[in-house]
Amino acid sequence: MNTTEKVIFEQFPFWEKAMGRIPAASDSKLKVFVGCGTSYNLALSLATYSNSAGQPAIAVPGGEWLNHPKLSWPDWKSTHVVALSRSGETTETVAAAKASRIAGAHVSAITVEATSSLAKNCDTLIEAETHDEEGIVMTVSASLMLLLGMQMIGAQIPPSIVSSARRLADQLDAGLPGILAGHSHFVFLGSGSLYGIALEGALKLMEMSQIVTQGFHPLEYRHGPISLVDEKTVVVMLYGADQKAAQALLVDEVREKGATVIGFGGPGDLELNVGCDPAFAGLCALPALQILGERAAQSKGVDTMAPRHLTKVVMLG
């Protein structure tokens, strides 16, 4: 077992320690979830959770919120900015947090580095301890920041999510040997809160294995991207409870065109039971998507502790 694999499977005690956090208070009319890379994918998911909880929210990449926030929201100075960064040192995110505070916005920071620049430039700090062996590729820290963000919104995360997520990761891992061989194009599909998770699954596999990946809303996939489907394609469908029938029809179509399908919570060549409340399906699926990236990397002989062209912290001069 290499270090990345070890960290993925050892993340669950850190979840347990992070549960029960008090939500961050702000009377702003709009939450703006800001992040870069994985943190932006989490921001997309958190914005949908916030909206479903009756708390209006949007998600914006760190650089976009820094450079022209009013294009995302005209009254940007009156928002509650929730900045996500594992290191708390990501240049665009830290600068966006600083600029937002100067402009009068309330800023909350979600990070796993309590002494970071972001932690020092926020009004409310939400942090948790992460695995000290986590490498460049963000795994346990991503799960933790999603968990913390959901709790900030007011979600009561059940302790049973730990066993559900562990079981789902094991279930996928056991079925992967027959899936990975001969495939060089991976597509991740998710709707609602699962769209950001689908993008994160695509990003994980791309950066870990250097395989071409894509992420889409499921019903958008017919509108052009489906033209790339062939026998070398794997489609990862993150089924939503409210659109399962429509998404299953799409799965039938891509299978007819030659794709192999991994179905999280629904039909596929590999069908996986997501054994948790649908509201928490994204969090539950993250470790499984991380192990998918690791196994794909192993199949190509790629060392995920030293991914090509990547560093643990993106800091601009």
Side-chain angles (χ1 to χ4, degrees):
M1 183 180 290
N2 68 22
T3 303
T4 302
E5 183 180 349
K6 176 176 179 284
V7 168
I8 292 170
F9 283 114
E10 289 182 354
Q11 68 181 287
F12 303 107
F14 294 93
W15 290 29
E16 293 170 329
K17 292 178 184 178
M19 289 181 181
R21 299 301 176 106
I22 299 173
S26 172
D27 58 2
S28 301
K29 292 182 180 180
L30 181 79
K31 286 187 173 67
V32 182
F33 291 92
V34 173
C36 299
T38 285
S39 294
Y40 174 60
N41 294 336
L42 302 180
L44 286 166
S45 187
L46 287 170
T48 65
Y49 281 118
S50 185
N51 285 319
S52 67
Q55 303 171 36
I58 59 174
V60 185
E64 293 297 303
W65 190 252
L66 169 64
N67 291 310
H68 28 70
K70 64 182 179 182
L71 299 184
S72 296
W73 194 256
D75 189 21
W76 70 277
K77 296 179 181 180
S78 300
T79 59
H80 175 187
V81 176
V82 184
L84 295 95
S85 172
R86 168 176 62 171
S87 65
E89 302 295 344
T90 304
T91 298
E92 303 102 301
T93 302
V94 174
K98 290 179 178 179
S100 297
R101 288 188 85 202
I102 291 171
H106 181 98
V107 174
S108 292
I110 299 179
T111 184
V112 295
E113 294 294 342
T115 61
S116 63
S117 297
L118 181 61
K120 295 172 183 176
N121 286 280
C122 68
D123 301 292
T124 304
L125 175 61
I126 304 169
E127 53 85 22
E129 176 190 1
T130 194
H131 200 299
D132 61 8
E133 293 183 65
E134 183 177 70
I136 292 173
V137 175
M138 199 190 310
T139 53
V140 55
S141 296
S143 304
L144 284 169
M145 290 197 296
L146 181 61
L147 187 156
L148 291 173
M150 292 171 69
Q151 291 183 138
M152 183 205 74
I153 294 163
Q156 301 294 315
I157 309 293
S160 60
I161 193 73
V162 170
S163 58
S164 297
R166 182 186 289 114
R167 186 164 53 247
L168 182 59
D170 288 338
Q171 189 183 355
L172 175 64
D173 198 22
L176 282 178
I179 296 286
L180 293 175
H183 293 103
S184 56
H185 173 215
F186 283 72
V187 178
F188 294 75
L189 304 176
S191 180
S193 64
L194 294 173
Y195 174 61
I197 304 304
L199 292 183
E200 175 58 11
L203 177 61
K204 276 284 122 7
L205 195 145
M206 182 192 306
E207 63 187 2
M208 294 170 86
S209 69
Q210 297 156 26
I211 292 173
V212 175
T213 67
Q214 297 173 293
F216 298 97
H217 294 95
L219 302 187
E220 281 294 296
Y221 194 60
R222 292 186 180 95
H223 298 271
I226 200 169
S227 63
L228 295 179
V229 172
D230 60 20
E231 67 283 352
K232 295 181 181 179
T233 303
V234 173
V235 173
V236 180
M237 175 65 82
L238 303 175
Y239 282 94
D242 60 337
Q243 295 186 36
K244 189 170 181 179
Q247 292 168 355
L249 288 175
L250 175 60
V251 162
D252 288 341
E253 289 181 33
V254 298
R255 291 177 76 183
E256 288 173 1
K257 292 173 171 56
T260 297
V261 175
I262 300 174
F264 279 76
D269 297 279
L270 176 59
E271 297 186 23
L272 304 172
N273 177 35
V274 182
C276 71
D277 185 316
F280 306 122
L283 177 61
C284 190
L286 269 182
L289 295 174
Q290 294 162 5
I291 203 62
L292 171 58
E294 173 59 28
R295 294 295 184 235
Q298 290 176 6
S299 73
K300 291 186 63 184
V302 176
D303 179 7
T304 53
M305 291 302 289
R308 187 173 64 176
H309 306 324
L310 300 181
T311 57
K312 192 166 185 177
V313 183
V314 177
M315 298 181 69
L316 307 178

